[in-house]
Amino acid sequence: MELCIKRFEELTIDELYAILKLRVDVFVVEQKCPCDEIDNRDQAAIHVYLKDADGIKAYVRILDRGVVSEHVTIGRVIAAQRGKGLGRRVMEEAIKAAQEIFGTDTIFLEAQVYAKGFYEKLGFKPVSEAFSMDGIPHVKMELKVRQ
């Protein structure tokens, strides 16, 4: 499994297509959620993903302070195959990348409520009550990291 960390302009057309297809397949089609998946933030993002010969297996994007929040933000966390540890692995790499690239000590995310425990195992703590985003319950979470 190969780890890739790229800015938008470094992605090939095929990589970008595979990332967007995976996100739409899960966040729009599978979850039956007509949301603004292609939201004009990808151009500002760091894209972190794991791939093998068959394609992208797990993906996360990182946004700098001020794009979504006052903190560096991780979002669009997805694993093509669940239960294989790929989500955890790509998140661990994204946390490291957020620290190295943006020098952050706080990482923010908006988790779907069903996945809150997954993020808590990585050290994230809830900082809001549940709220609805695109008809799906979410909770804001933060991770305080050491520099």
Side-chain angles (χ1 to χ4, degrees):
M1 193 79 54
E2 179 184 354
L3 171 67
C4 299
I5 301 173
K6 295 184 175 187
R7 294 188 180 279
F8 182 81
E9 59 274 5
E10 296 171 322
L11 295 170
T12 68
I13 292 169
D14 288 338
E15 288 168 327
L16 178 60
Y17 183 87
I19 289 166
L20 295 175
K21 182 170 183 350
L22 177 61
R23 287 176 17 193
V24 168
D25 284 351
V26 173
F27 296 133
V28 177
V29 177
E30 181 182 310
Q31 294 183 349
K32 296 177 178 57
C33 179
C35 63
D36 189 15
E37 181 55 38
I38 300 173
D39 60 3
N40 289 311
R41 293 181 177 148
D42 289 311
Q43 297 91 326
I46 302 296
H47 302 269
V48 180
Y49 55 97
L50 298 169
K51 70 177 185 175
D52 64 13
D54 295 325
I56 295 176
K57 300 302 178 191
Y59 170 84
V60 171
R61 79 174 178 189
I62 309 167
L63 296 164
D64 199 0
R65 299 164 189 87
V67 178
V68 172
S69 157
E70 66 188 83
H71 302 296
V72 170
T73 302
I74 288 178
R76 301 304 200 260
V77 180
I78 191 166
Q81 298 174 318
R82 293 163 188 101
K84 300 198 180 276
L86 297 174
R88 180 176 185 85
R89 184 168 163 207
V90 79
M91 275 297 295
E92 290 169 346
E93 295 295 345
I95 290 166
K96 283 190 243 177
Q99 290 176 276
E100 292 169 8
I101 295 167
F102 296 119
T104 189
D105 62 357
T106 303
I107 300 172
F108 173 81
L109 60 79
E110 293 176 333
Q112 292 184 8
V113 168
Y114 85 88
K116 182 176 155 236
F118 168 78
Y119 295 109
E120 287 175 326
K121 288 177 186 170
L122 290 162
F124 285 85
K125 303 216 179 307
V127 294
S128 79
E129 296 297 319
F131 63 96
S132 180
M133 180 189 304
D134 299 318
I136 297 174
H138 282 70
V139 63
K140 295 178 182 184
M141 302 184 82
E142 288 182 359
L143 172 67
K144 300 290 185 185
V145 292
R146 295 188 185 132
Q147 291 293 321

